[in-house]
Amino acid sequence: MVVALNKRLVICLLLISAFSNSIHSQATKEKIDLLFLEADMTANRASVSKIDSAYAMSKSINYKYGVLKSQVFKAAWYLNFNNDVKSCLRIIKKIEPEVLDSEDFEVISFLKVTKAISYLRLSFKEDANKEFNLALLYADKIQNSARRHNRKGIIYIYIGSDYLSLKPDKSKEKSYQLALENLRKGYKEMSFLKNGNHSEKIAFANSCRALGDYYTRTKQFDSAQFYINKSLKIVTALDDKAEISLFLIIRGYLHLKMENYKEAIKDFEASNDLIKTTKAREDLLEENYDNLAFAYEKLGDSENQSKYLKKYKKISDSLSIENVKDVNQAVVNISDDIKSKHKKEKSTLETGIIITIVLIIVLILIVLVFSKRYKSEKRSKEELKILLDEKMKMLNSLSAKFSPEDEKELANVVSLAISKDASYLFKFNELFPKFSENLLKVSPSLKSSDLAICSYMKLNFDTKEIARYGGDSVRSVESKKYRLRKKFNLTSTDDINIFMAKF
């Protein structure tokens, strides 16, 4: 009788313990979900502590969903706030098979988007597009309508923004058309969220901002003002200072394009104040200082121009240069990722995966055998010949005629520049051994980045060509050329390319 009572007591205690653990586990999961929401809403460098807390709590209760989601968030944090592509892809490579097995379509789609953006940063366009397309497929399967619209809207905006910014001149009209189509799709998806919670309203504001940026770039200023002011009204009503600081930059850039320099200055300075107050998106200060220097230059205020140029230089000099090994490692990661595709992807995308594997293997072989000169190999011989012929004609018109041997070497140097080959500067200095030395005699404060731009101008490359082949923005190149003019005491009427041709 006593034994039977003891057994019943033990069973009761076990049931009570299990019920208690269940309640505790559910409460912890709610805390974890709240941490994810806070990390998403704050979206700054401090959000990593919330992500780490969510990971630790998930591990403690064996909450697999929380563990995976926290790691995807961590990968996105490395990418967005440290620009650390290598760490981002390392995490994705480790967790992607488990994330795909989880069948949580929202997390899978988030991972695919993060992976696609990483590939964009490395200029692997085709791989990025494939990941974006997969992200859309998974986003369509998300049951929660608000999250589905949010995720699809984000993807369309990224695709549209890529078409808007990084296409060659000859296809600009087509790329702008594709940009607008995708940005409108993103806006349509986000429109379902405009009356939602804080995070959803921010998402809708971002779709307005993206359209505003498109209309700014295409000089449709009335439409640009409409969408940018609409987005600012949303974030101002939410009193989200971190977001307001970002949207003020977008409006400031619009004022620059419209040549409303005083209004641009107000927006950039207000943005700076909010960034310093919130400690969020401090990486944007560099661009703000550069834009402020440009605006004050246009207003003829040399004192403030100099002030912001110094601030810009201080931040610019403190930024670390990305290591080439990151790109090489990323190539290996892509290959490994393709080989470990999930079995469900294989059933629907088998042909695409096989083709991708072949392309990646070919890419790796080219990198190893030709020392990173695969980009020049991809350019058609006919197009390269046209570019070279045009450039050689211009160079011969600026200088004394080159000997046949020197002309051949010069054509090779120009070809390396156009194909963005890593050996370009080395070959340039071999062909013009006294160029850098003579420039430094005139201006000893020149940095290696200054000498690189000077080398492009020596070859008579214009601003857009320098931006395209040097991997920089047109706006940044314009600013650097302006500072070089100052260092060489050139007036606005002096042709800096002709000046470089003399050295």
Side-chain angles (χ1 to χ4, degrees), residues 160-427:
S161 298
D162 181 47
Y163 276 119
L164 183 61
S165 61
L166 295 173
K167 293 293 175 181
D169 290 341
K170 66 177 183 179
S171 62
K172 181 178 288 186
E173 184 177 345
K174 182 179 179 182
S175 66
Y176 276 4
Q177 180 184 349
L178 290 169
L180 184 57
E181 286 177 6
N182 281 281
L183 292 174
R184 281 176 172 169
K185 287 179 182 177
Y187 178 80
K188 182 179 178 181
E189 294 289 342
M190 294 301 195
S191 295
F192 291 99
L193 310 176
K194 59 185 177 182
N195 297 319
N197 58 33
H198 182 106
S199 182
E200 290 167 355
K201 288 178 180 177
I202 292 294
F204 176 60
N206 273 306
S207 70
C208 297
R209 173 201 58 75
L211 276 172
D213 183 42
Y214 168 83
Y215 288 120
T216 298
R217 290 173 183 267
T218 54
K219 299 184 179 180
Q220 301 177 61
F221 296 134
D222 288 341
S223 296
Q225 284 183 305
F226 172 79
Y227 283 106
I228 291 172
N229 288 334
K230 187 175 184 177
S231 63
L232 255 172
K233 184 178 179 180
I234 295 168
V235 295
T236 302
L238 294 171
D239 195 30
D240 192 319
K241 293 182 173 57
E243 291 293 335
I244 293 172
S245 67
L246 173 61
F247 285 82
L248 284 171
I249 295 173
I250 304 300
R251 192 172 69 180
Y253 183 68
L254 170 62
H255 285 311
L256 280 185
K257 287 290 186 180
M258 297 174 68
E259 299 183 0
N260 296 334
Y261 300 115
K262 290 184 179 179
E263 294 301 317
I265 288 170
K266 288 180 184 177
D267 283 336
F268 290 130
E269 289 185 336
S271 173
N272 285 346
D273 290 340
L274 288 172
I275 290 171
K276 292 172 184 176
T277 301
T278 61
K279 303 295 183 184
R281 300 308 305 270
E282 291 177 308
D283 54 306
L284 296 174
L285 287 173
E286 179 189 11
E287 183 180 352
N288 276 2
Y289 291 146
D290 194 23
N291 285 325
L292 281 164
F294 179 77
Y296 278 117
E297 176 197 351
K298 291 296 184 180
L299 293 174
D301 187 340
S302 57
E303 183 179 347
N304 275 311
Q305 178 194 357
S306 177
K307 168 186 169 184
Y308 283 107
L309 278 176
K310 288 178 182 177
K311 290 187 175 185
Y312 167 80
K313 186 177 183 301
K314 184 177 179 181
I315 291 183
S316 181
D317 289 347
S318 68
L319 295 176
S320 59
I321 300 173
E322 292 184 9
N323 198 307
V324 173
K325 291 181 180 178
D326 290 357
V327 179
N328 293 338
Q329 183 61 48
V331 173
V332 176
N333 285 342
I334 295 172
S335 177
D336 291 343
D337 291 339
I338 297 299
K339 292 175 183 177
S340 62
K341 285 290 185 179
H342 189 262
K343 59 184 179 182
K344 289 189 177 180
E345 288 185 20
K346 285 183 179 180
S347 64
T348 56
L349 300 166
E350 185 174 339
T351 303
I353 292 172
I354 293 172
I355 293 172
T356 304
I357 291 172
V358 173
L359 290 174
I360 296 303
I361 292 173
V362 171
L363 179 62
I364 294 171
L365 289 173
I366 292 173
V367 170
L368 294 173
V369 175
F370 293 99
S371 303
K372 294 175 282 189
R373 295 186 59 180
Y374 62 95
K375 288 187 179 180
S376 63
E377 296 296 327
K378 289 170 67 176
R379 187 183 299 277
S380 70
K381 292 181 180 179
E382 183 180 352
E383 182 183 1
L384 186 58
K385 186 177 184 303
I386 292 171
L387 287 169
L388 287 173
D389 288 346
E390 290 177 353
K391 193 60 64 182
M392 293 302 298
K393 285 178 183 177
M394 288 188 289
L395 290 171
N396 276 319
S397 67
L398 290 173
S399 307
K401 281 285 185 180
F402 295 96
S403 68
E405 184 178 345
D406 284 344
E407 186 167 327
K408 183 178 179 181
E409 287 299 316
L410 181 60
N412 180 47
V413 169
V414 173
S415 173
L416 292 175
I418 291 171
S419 58
K420 304 179 186 178
D421 195 287
S423 64
Y424 157 66
L425 283 175
F426 176 76
K427 292 294 184 181

Side-chain angles (χ1 to χ4, degrees), residues 123-188:
S123 299
F124 298 145
K125 300 278 187 188
E126 292 182 6
D127 298 287
N129 288 335
K130 288 171 185 174
E131 295 299 328
F132 276 133
N133 289 332
L134 285 171
L136 280 172
L137 287 174
Y138 285 115
D140 263 329
K141 298 179 181 180
I142 298 172
Q143 294 297 313
N144 183 290
S145 61
R147 293 176 180 174
R148 182 174 64 253
H149 289 307
N150 191 350
R151 182 56 44 202
K152 290 179 70 176
I154 289 171
I155 296 166
Y156 283 128
I157 289 169
Y158 271 119
I159 295 172
S161 298
D162 181 47
Y163 276 119
L164 183 61
S165 61
L166 295 173
K167 293 293 175 181
D169 290 341
K170 66 177 183 179
S171 62
K172 181 178 288 186
E173 184 177 345
K174 182 179 179 182
S175 66
Y176 276 4
Q177 180 184 349
L178 290 169
L180 184 57
E181 286 177 6
N182 281 281
L183 292 174
R184 281 176 172 169
K185 287 179 182 177
Y187 178 80
K188 182 179 178 181

Side-chain angles (χ1 to χ4, degrees), residues 56-80:
M57 293 171 69
S58 299
K59 288 282 283 186
S60 68
I61 62 170
N62 198 26
Y63 182 30
K64 185 177 180 181
Y65 169 81
V67 171
L68 292 175
K69 187 172 182 178
S70 61
Q71 289 181 88
V72 176
F73 265 53
K74 188 67 170 285
W77 180 84
Y78 274 119
L79 181 67
N80 295 327

